């Protein structure tokens, strides 16, 4: 990269080049070792110096070895040589070791790298002597320091002339001018090593100083709606500068310029950002959520970052840059509309978008934090629904995106209200009569033109639905393009919109649109006829349609067969089905409720949705009339717990210190899913397999040991706490990897289902969605996470403590004379990573509203992420002491523990 010279003043980098200083060699080497930001096909020859590479801390650490730093300090150029001529070599060796290995090495390496970019490595020795370890300390530390000024710039006086001074007021002597030039040039390069770290869900980040964003493999892309004040990029984040959720993700950035010349620009950007933040609360599986956002002051702009989706519906319909092979791996496994032409992945994906629009229109139904009121409700609208704003991932999941035109407001319950917006793309815009009439009182025409209702979105959805039908039924992209051209021909302005004005000036549906809808009715497809009828209702031109997005979705989703598969998402995976290690439906399983105390025999079916991180548990049991009752219930894994009630009854589990034989009744429940239902298992292995299938936490065989006492002392707390128990047991758990999980539980095919003619079906809390289907896997990999689970079983203080055994932060000791074991942290600066789960009733606020005895039991998070986060973020422990029942138990546990340590 060509150096950009400073405008006026003494240019230290140019001077370093003339004297062949090592500064330039260091700069060039760091750029070679750094990670390129732009992809090869998107390189920009005019890119600003320093903005084309990410020079990470690991690159600095690998490059700045002790030997290399000594070489830099002993540069043979005229200035550097005069600097070190009288310095003993051992002094430079000590400084090199400090920069390479000292406690302040990261900041010192950043300072040395910044100096190399402005030709100032000669100053490193002097800045260290005056304890200036960062760029800011160097810039400020030079002020009014005559000794440092003379040390660094005396040798440059002969190279300076008064004509070089560009400061105001001008300097009369060389040293002051050189010092100011040096500080300015050092500060101007500091941003190259000022690299921020990004975390998912951080939506309020502001950078007042210029940053070198750690964005790599970046490519500018064109998008619908591109303007001069915005740009779009596909990129990734350097793994050293983001959390695990963002690592390796392909991301999409919408970069909005905040122009000082337009007063409404910042407000418009803020509005869009606030809407996207609000939509995260809805957490709908078919709304593209913003991952993080940030604002920069230099240059002034605001960026919104999303997951990158490779396709949008516009590309699918037109077949532009789409490789059909990308979708062949995910063939549909279950018919949602059997026998209909619309049993097609594009149509089924579109229904997810319709569900998303229903959530946008009535967000109050989806966000628990909004208190219900009797008179006021929150409503919203998207106002720019079109195929280009519906993105699709490689697993055929559809997402509604681009909420730049969206609007939300509070209205009186039961009343439609006008929303003041700028209408979206003309082709998908409804007829003008959809606008609300301006209120009396002199409202200007300009304002009246922006008054629309949520019916705007209903029209736009009908437009997209009509295009999808033509794509599926009439012949793919060729038919879609013909439909587009026909609409253009039938329009006085050559727009491809769906309505026009007839000779009387009346707004009517274009003939080419109505003719296609009529032709679909002749195909003898009952479900298709129902869809067409609903689209015609949405296409009303003589009045504003009364149908809501929710009602449209219900009409489009009506054709569903009544069996257990009706509760299965399009690509949900059956857990523990035929051909797996455990088939849950064949277990001896029972359930009871508050009204039915005697357990009833039942079969269980578990469906896992990895895309939405959702679990569906269906309970099937015979009814009194001979029919089969199907009782499904779903939960998001990050919002629910598996409550192992039976594992807190230590006397039922053990006869003194020996595990009882099968035949006992082990009970479990869930905090939210199947509320009020207790499940009973008569085999310990069945119980643990359900636990493993739902939580990924599986107890190792023969790893259960009862203890006489257990003491755990917390670390890093001002009010240090300890847990002591004389009733309980411990288990050694492994967390199943995805490959282990697949080998144990993933069913390779759906079961054949035979149900009675008239089954009774309970209400389900789940909703259908396109999700990723897991691929078959091969050989097992080693288990990554192993944890020690302590069940403290006193009735008044039931506690579950999970201790991570993966971190090298503790040492264990087994007493050779007593049946005791202790685990101690290695240093006071460390902690034994652990998570503590106590029963919710300990919370006084919870106790006031609790009515269930299950609230006296802690639960295991269903989500691996929640559990791992709890282990990582917990205060951890200083020490753990366990007294086993006898020496034989201690010996057996020690052998198992050491076997784990040896892999």
């Amino acid at each position: 990269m060509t150096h950009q010279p400073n405008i006026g003043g003494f240019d230290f980098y140019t001077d370093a080049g003339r004297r062949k200083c090592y500064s330039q060699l260091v700069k060039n080497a760091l750029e070679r070792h750094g990670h390129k930001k732009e992809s090869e096909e998107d390189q920009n020859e005019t890119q600003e110096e320093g903005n084309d590479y990410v020079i990470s801390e690991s690159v600095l650490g690998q490059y700045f070895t002790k030997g290399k730093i000594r070489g830099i300090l002993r540069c043979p150029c005229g200035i550097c040589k005069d600097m070190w001529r009288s310095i003993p070599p051992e002094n430079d060796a000590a400084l090199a070791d400090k920069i390479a290995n000292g406690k302040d090495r990261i900041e010192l390496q950043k300072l040395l790298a910044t100096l190399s970019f402005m030709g100032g490595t000669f100053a490193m020795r002097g800045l260290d002597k005056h304890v200036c370890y960062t760029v800011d300390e160097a810039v400020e530390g030079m002020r009014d320091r005559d000794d440092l000024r003379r040390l660094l710039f005396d040798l440059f006086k002969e190279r300076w002339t008064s004509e070089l001074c560009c400061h105001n007021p001008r300097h009369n002597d060389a040293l002051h001018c050189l010092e100011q030039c040096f500080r300015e040039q050092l500060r101007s390069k500091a941003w190259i090593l000022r690299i921020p770290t990004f975390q998912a869900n951080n939506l309020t980040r502001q950078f007042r100083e210029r940053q070198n964003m750690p964005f790599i493999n970046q490519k500018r892309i064109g998008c619908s709606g591109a303007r001069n004040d915005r740009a779009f990029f596909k990129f990734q984040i350097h793994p050293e500068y983001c959390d695990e959720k963002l690592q390796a993700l392909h991301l999409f950035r919408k970069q909005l310029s905040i122009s000082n010349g337009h007063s409404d620009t910042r407000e418009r950007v803020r509005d869009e950002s606030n809407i996207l933040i609000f939509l995260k609360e809805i957490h709908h599986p078919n709304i593209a959520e913003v991952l993080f956002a940030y604002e920069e002051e230099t240059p002034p702009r605001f960026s919104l970052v999303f997951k990158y989706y490779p396709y949008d519906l516009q590309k699918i319909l037109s077949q532009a840059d789409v490789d059909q092979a990308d979708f062949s791996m995910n063939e549909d496994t279950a018919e949602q509309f059997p026998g209909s032409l619309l049993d097609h992945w594009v149509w089924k994906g579109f229904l997810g978008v319709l569900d998303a629009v229903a959530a946008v229109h009535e967000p109050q139904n989806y966000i628990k934090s909004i208190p219900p009121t009797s008179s006021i409700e929150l409503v919203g609208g998207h106002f720019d629904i079109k195929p280009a704003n519906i993105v699709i991932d490689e697993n055929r999941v559809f997402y509604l995106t681009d909420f730049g035109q969206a609007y939300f407001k509070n209205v009186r319950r039961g009343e439609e209200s006008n929303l003041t917006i700028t209408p979206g793309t003309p082709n998908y815009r409804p007829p003008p009569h959809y606008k609300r009439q301006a209120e009396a009182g002199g409202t200007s025409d300009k304002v009246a033109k922006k008054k629309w209702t949520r019916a705007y979105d209903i029209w736009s959805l009908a437009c997209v639905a009509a295009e999808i039908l033509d794509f599926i039924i009439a012949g793919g992209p060729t038919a879609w393009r013909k439909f587009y051209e026909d609409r253009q021909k039938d329009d006085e302005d050559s727009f491809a919109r769906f309505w026009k004005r007839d000779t009387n000036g009346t707004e009517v549906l274009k003939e080419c649109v109505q003719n296609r809808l009529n032709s679909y009715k002749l195909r003898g497809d009952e479900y298709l006829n129902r869809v067409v009828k609903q689209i015609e209702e949405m296409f009303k031109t003589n009045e504003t349609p009364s149908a809501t997005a929710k009602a449209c979705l219900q009409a489009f989703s009506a054709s569903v067969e009544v069996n257990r598969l009706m509760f299965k998402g399009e690509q949900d995976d059956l857990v523990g089905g035929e051909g797996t290690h455990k088939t849950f439906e064949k277990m001896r399983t029972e359930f009871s409720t508050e009204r039915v105390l005697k357990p009833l025999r039942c079969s269980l079916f578990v469906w896992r949705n990895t895309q939405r991180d959702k679990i569906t548990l269906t309970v099937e049991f015979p009814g009194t009339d001979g029919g089969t009752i199907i009782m499904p219930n779903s939960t998001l894994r990050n919002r629910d717990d598996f409550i192992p009630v039976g594992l807190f009854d230590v006397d039922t589990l053990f006869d003194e210190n020996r595990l009882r034989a099968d035949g006992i009744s082990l009970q479990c429940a869930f905090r939210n899913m199947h509320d009020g239902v207790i499940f009973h298992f008569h085999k310990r292995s069945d119980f643990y397999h359900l636990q493993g299938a739902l939580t990924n936490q599986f107890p190792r065989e023969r790893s259960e040991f009862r203890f006489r006492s257990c003491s755990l002392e917390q670390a890093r707390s001002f009010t240090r706490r300890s847990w002591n128990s004389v009733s309980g047991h411990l288990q050694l758990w492994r967390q199943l990897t995805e490959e282990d999980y697949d080998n144990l539980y993933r069913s390779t095919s759906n079961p054949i289902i035979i149900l009675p003619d008239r089954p009774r079906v309970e209400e389900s809390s789940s909703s259908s969605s396109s999700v990723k289907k897991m691929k078959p896997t091969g050989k097992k990999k080693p288990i990554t996470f192993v944890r020690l689970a302590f069940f403290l079983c006193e009735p008044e203080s039931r506690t579950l403590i999970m201790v991570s055994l993966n971190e090298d932060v503790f040492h264990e000791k087994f007493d050779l004379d007593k049946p005791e074991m202790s685990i101690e942290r290695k240093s006071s600066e460390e902690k034994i990573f652990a998570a503590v789960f106590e029963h919710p009733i300990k919370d006084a606020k919870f106790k006031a509203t609790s009515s269930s005895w299950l609230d006296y039991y802690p639960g295991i998070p269903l989500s691996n992420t929640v559990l791992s986060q709890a282990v990582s973020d917990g205060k951890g422990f200083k020490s753990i002491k366990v007294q086993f029942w006898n020496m034989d138990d201690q010996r057996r546990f020690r052998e198992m523990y050491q076997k784990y340590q040896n892999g």
Side-chain angles (χ1 to χ4, degrees):
M1 184 66 64
T2 304
H3 171 71
Q4 297 172 348
N6 297 288
I7 300 175
F10 185 89
D11 191 330
F12 283 91
Y13 186 86
T14 301
D15 184 77
R18 291 194 190 103
R19 65 178 191 271
K20 297 183 179 180
C21 179
Y22 282 177
S23 290
Q24 293 190 345
L25 296 178
V26 174
K27 168 186 173 293
N28 295 336
L30 289 175
E31 287 181 341
R32 286 196 306 272
H33 287 80
H35 203 123
K36 284 186 178 181
K37 286 189 173 186
E38 307 293 341
S39 58
E40 292 294 336
E41 66 272 19
D42 206 45
Q43 288 291 310
N44 187 348
E45 292 297 328
T46 61
Q47 179 132 13
E48 180 184 2
E49 178 190 18
N51 201 29
D52 51 350
Y53 292 95
V54 176
I55 302 173
S56 64
E57 292 178 3
S58 63
V59 167
L60 294 177
Q62 292 168 10
Y63 179 75
F64 284 131
T65 61
K66 183 177 177 180
K68 194 158 290 183
I69 296 170
R70 287 183 64 184
I72 296 169
L73 295 174
R74 292 271 161 171
C75 169
C77 79
I79 294 294
C80 292
K81 189 171 183 179
D82 286 342
M83 287 282 186
W84 59 258
R85 193 186 303 275
S86 60
I87 303 296
E90 57 268 22
N91 288 14
D92 283 346
L95 177 57
D97 184 62
K98 180 179 180 180
I99 296 172
N101 305 309
K103 65 176 182 178
D104 297 314
R105 62 185 178 279
I106 294 176
E107 294 301 332
L108 286 170
Q109 289 169 8
K110 287 182 180 180
L111 176 58
L112 183 55
T114 306
L115 289 170
S116 74
F117 271 86
M118 52 85 59
T121 51
F122 67 88
M124 189 67 208
R125 192 183 291 101
L127 293 174
D128 175 72
K129 180 179 178 181
H130 288 75
V131 199
C132 297
Y133 295 162
T134 67
V135 172
D136 290 338
E137 289 174 354
V139 170
E140 295 302 320
M142 287 185 185
R143 293 180 182 274
D144 303 321
R145 295 290 296 272
D146 292 337
D147 53 346
L148 180 57
R149 188 183 302 123
R150 287 193 299 272
L151 174 65
L152 297 182
F153 307 118
D154 257 343
L155 297 174
F156 288 91
K157 287 194 295 185
E158 294 181 359
R159 302 167 183 262
W160 180 85
T161 63
S162 59
E163 288 78 12
L164 289 174
C165 185
C166 60
H167 305 121
N168 187 15
R170 294 176 62 85
H171 294 288
N172 296 322
D173 67 288
L175 293 182
H176 283 84
C177 181
L178 289 166
E179 175 210 320
Q180 187 167 347
C181 288
F182 186 90
R183 288 193 293 109
E184 290 171 352
Q185 292 168 38
L186 181 62
R187 186 187 290 112
S188 72
K189 302 298 181 184
W191 69 272
I192 298 174
L193 276 301
R194 191 184 296 128
I195 306 175
T197 299
F198 290 94
Q199 298 85 31
N201 301 320
N202 188 342
L203 305 175
T204 57
R205 194 83 179 273
Q206 286 187 308
F207 299 111
R208 301 197 178 279
E209 294 183 295
R210 188 177 183 185
Q211 308 286 315
N212 189 8
M213 296 301 175
F215 302 155
I216 58 176
N217 303 324
Q218 181 168 261
K219 181 180 180 181
R220 187 162 183 161
I221 56 178
C223 287
S224 172
R227 302 200 302 256
N228 292 334
D229 62 344
R230 60 187 61 189
F232 305 96
F233 300 89
K234 174 188 176 184
F235 69 103
Q236 292 176 286
I237 303 180
H238 192 289
E240 292 183 37
Y241 296 97
C242 63
D243 61 17
E244 290 184 2
K245 294 180 181 179
L246 300 176
Q247 286 186 5
L249 277 183
H250 290 277
L251 302 173
F252 172 84
R253 183 168 85 255
K254 183 178 183 180
Q255 184 174 283
L256 307 170
S257 296
I258 304 175
S259 172
N260 295 326
H262 298 85
S263 58
D264 64 335
T265 303
R266 186 177 293 272
E267 182 178 354
R268 174 177 52 79
V269 169
R270 285 292 183 191
D271 286 345
E272 182 173 356
S273 173
N274 290 336
I275 286 173
L276 289 169
I277 293 172
F278 170 73
L279 289 172
K280 285 185 74 68
E281 290 193 63
I282 296 179
H283 195 59
H284 193 281
N286 298 102
I287 292 179
E289 291 188 359
V290 61
L291 293 176
F292 63 90
Y294 62 92
E295 181 178 346
E296 300 170 85
E297 290 192 3
T298 308
R301 59 195 181 194
F302 193 90
S303 295
L304 300 162
V305 178
F306 306 80
K307 180 182 176 183
Y308 175 76
Y309 299 100
Y311 308 106
D312 59 51
L313 184 56
Q314 179 80 19
K315 290 181 178 179
I316 298 297
L317 297 177
S318 64
Q319 297 293 286
D321 301 322
V322 175
D323 184 356
Q324 284 298 300
D326 293 342
F327 296 100
S328 63
M329 69 181 73
N330 292 311
E331 296 299 330
D332 296 329
T333 58
E335 291 185 337
Q336 190 172 352
F337 308 109
S340 173
L341 292 170
L342 294 186
D343 194 49
H344 188 283
W345 71 271
V346 174
W347 176 253
K348 289 186 278 189
F350 172 70
L351 296 187
V353 174
L354 189 54
D355 192 26
V357 175
V360 172
H361 282 191
E362 300 178 67
Q364 195 155 319
N365 297 336
Y366 293 79
I367 302 177
K368 294 181 179 180
S369 62
I370 301 178
T373 63
S374 58
S375 59
I376 300 298
E377 65 177 340
L378 181 67
V379 300
H382 186 280
F383 299 110
D384 197 18
I385 297 171
K386 57 184 178 180
N389 284 342
I390 299 171
V391 294
I392 308 169
D393 68 15
E394 63 277 6
N395 304 302
R396 299 179 174 181
V397 183
F398 285 46
Y399 302 88
L400 183 63
T401 188
D402 196 349
F403 286 82
Q405 309 295 114
Y407 193 86
F408 291 85
K409 70 180 292 186
N410 287 318
V411 300
R412 290 187 177 277
R413 185 174 292 277
E415 293 183 4
E416 186 57 76
S417 175
N418 55 289
L419 304 174
T420 305
I421 57 98
T422 301
T425 307
N427 288 346
Y428 300 89
R429 189 185 303 169
H433 81 266
Y434 273 56
K435 292 194 294 289
R436 298 276 288 189
Q437 296 296 320
E439 294 89 344
T443 304
S444 69
D445 289 341
K446 182 178 180 180
V447 173
K449 289 178 181 178
K450 296 185 176 183
K451 302 289 185 180
W452 297 86
T453 70
R454 291 175 290 181
Y456 185 116
D457 286 345
I458 302 301
W459 176 277
S460 300
L461 287 167
C463 296
V464 177
E467 289 188 307
I468 292 175
L469 262 60
D470 201 59
F471 173 83
I472 295 173
I473 298 170
T478 302
W480 178 86
R481 282 191 289 271
K482 179 69 166 54
F483 189 21
Y484 182 89
E485 292 167 358
D486 288 348
R487 299 200 310 272
Q488 280 186 315
K489 293 176 183 177
D490 195 11
D491 194 283
E492 59 184 11
D493 298 318
S494 297
F495 281 124
R497 53 196 171 196
F498 289 71
W499 64 274
K500 69 175 183 178
R501 287 189 174 89
D502 63 13
T503 54
N504 298 322
T506 304
E507 298 161 357
V508 297
L509 203 63
K510 288 182 177 178
E511 290 182 7
C512 62
V513 178
Q514 188 62 64
N515 289 342
R516 279 171 168 79
L517 294 178
N518 291 338
S519 69
Y520 302 151
K521 299 176 185 177
L522 304 177
R523 289 184 170 268
D525 187 325
E526 181 180 352
Y527 175 71
L528 176 60
N529 287 344
R530 188 183 309 159
V531 168
V532 171
K533 182 178 179 181
Q534 184 62 38
I535 291 176
E536 289 176 333
E537 286 293 311
M538 299 162 72
F539 264 146
K540 283 186 176 178
T541 55
N542 58 343
E543 59 179 310
T544 302
S546 58
T548 64
K550 186 176 181 179
C552 294
L553 177 64
Q554 290 174 343
F556 288 153
S557 305
S559 179
V560 181
E561 294 295 324
V562 181
N563 57 39
R564 91 170 58 103
L565 288 182
M566 69 181 290
F567 304 110
K568 174 187 177 295
E570 183 179 340
Q571 292 174 347
D572 284 0
D573 282 307
L574 178 64
V575 174
E578 293 291 340
T580 66
H581 183 79
K582 273 293 176 185
T583 303
F584 292 126
E585 61 187 294
K586 296 180 179 178
M587 292 180 176
R588 185 183 174 191
T589 316
E590 299 169 331
F591 78 97
S592 61
T593 67
E594 293 178 355
R595 291 189 60 189
V596 182
L597 300 181
K598 183 179 179 180
L600 298 176
R601 186 78 172 85
C602 68
S603 296
L604 300 180
F605 295 88
V606 182
W607 305 90
R608 189 171 72 140
N609 186 320
T610 54
Q611 184 72 20
R612 296 174 60 187
D613 205 21
K614 184 188 76 170
I615 287 286
T616 300
L617 178 62
T618 301
V619 183
E620 294 185 13
F621 56 99
T624 54
D625 58 358
T628 300
I629 298 177
I630 306 173
M631 186 171 66
N633 208 218
S634 299
T635 186
L636 294 177
R637 297 182 70 190
N638 62 356
R639 297 183 183 178
D640 209 352
D641 296 336
F642 174 80
I643 307 175
V645 177
L647 298 185
F648 286 96
D649 189 354
V650 68
D651 290 324
T652 298
L653 284 171
F654 292 86
D655 181 9
E656 292 190 344
N657 67 319
R658 294 186 179 276
L659 281 169
R660 295 184 185 273
D662 287 335
I664 60 175
S665 177
L666 286 176
Q667 302 176 9
C668 67
F670 299 88
R671 193 74 65 198
N672 299 311
M673 186 168 61
H674 286 294
D675 186 30
V677 177
I678 309 297
F679 297 93
H680 305 257
F681 292 83
H682 296 273
K683 286 187 176 182
R684 187 178 291 102
S685 61
D686 291 348
F687 183 95
Y688 288 153
H689 274 293
L690 182 67
Q691 174 184 318
L694 295 174
T695 70
N696 283 59
Q697 310 302 317
F698 196 89
R700 283 177 175 263
E701 188 177 2
R702 296 187 297 276
S703 73
E704 301 166 274
F705 295 89
R706 187 173 184 175
F707 52 73
R708 291 187 182 274
S709 66
C710 177
S711 175
L712 304 97
E713 185 176 359
Q714 197 176 58
R716 294 185 182 178
S717 175
F718 293 107
T719 56
R720 183 170 293 156
R721 186 179 172 188
S722 62
W723 284 262
N724 299 282
S725 178
V726 295
S727 176
H729 61 107
L730 60 85
Q731 297 177 342
L732 199 61
W733 288 3
R734 59 170 178 164
Q735 180 170 300
L736 302 176
T737 63
E738 281 300 308
E739 189 172 5
D740 295 319
Y741 192 97
D742 285 0
N743 287 324
L744 278 172
Y745 299 122
R746 180 177 175 273
S747 178
T748 56
S749 63
N750 290 319
I752 297 174
I753 298 171
I754 302 175
L755 290 176
D757 292 336
R758 300 172 63 85
R760 294 207 305 272
V761 182
E762 298 282 343
E763 290 284 326
S764 170
S765 65
S766 61
S767 61
S768 173
S769 174
S770 301
V771 296
K772 181 176 182 180
K773 183 171 181 178
M774 296 185 293
K775 301 177 184 178
T777 55
K779 195 175 178 181
K780 291 186 180 181
K781 295 181 180 178
I783 301 302
T784 303
F785 296 102
V786 177
R787 300 183 175 106
L788 199 55
F790 291 88
F791 290 85
L792 312 185
C793 301
E794 283 89 353
E796 296 301 319
S797 60
R798 296 185 183 96
T799 305
L800 171 60
I801 299 176
M802 283 181 242
V803 178
S804 174
L805 301 181
N806 287 78
E807 293 79 15
D808 185 22
V809 295
F810 61 85
H811 51 77
E812 62 283 335
K813 179 181 178 182
F814 292 89
D815 197 310
L816 299 179
D817 300 318
K818 301 176 184 178
E820 295 178 356
M821 172 191 74
S822 63
I823 300 176
E824 302 281 347
R825 61 184 178 180
K826 289 185 176 180
S827 74
S828 59
E829 297 299 317
E830 295 175 316
K831 67 176 181 179
I832 302 170
F833 287 84
V836 178
F837 299 95
E838 300 183 275
H839 57 79
I841 209 70
K842 276 184 168 289
D843 186 340
K845 295 180 181 179
F846 190 93
K847 185 174 182 179
T849 59
S850 174
S851 60
S852 172
W853 61 273
L854 284 174
D855 294 329
Y856 285 87
Y857 290 85
I860 306 167
L862 297 185
S863 169
N864 291 339
T865 304
V866 171
L867 176 55
S868 298
Q869 196 70 39
V871 173
S872 175
D873 293 347
K875 293 185 174 65
F877 290 102
K878 173 184 176 182
S879 64
I880 302 172
K881 296 180 181 179
V882 179
Q883 183 183 16
F884 291 90
W885 200 268
N886 54 39
M887 289 298 295
D888 185 60
D889 281 359
Q890 188 228 46
R891 176 189 58 77
R892 289 189 294 112
F893 177 83
R894 182 175 70 248
E895 291 174 353
M896 178 172 292
Y897 184 87
Q898 291 173 344
K899 185 181 296 184
Y900 150 69
Q901 283 190 315
N902 295 329

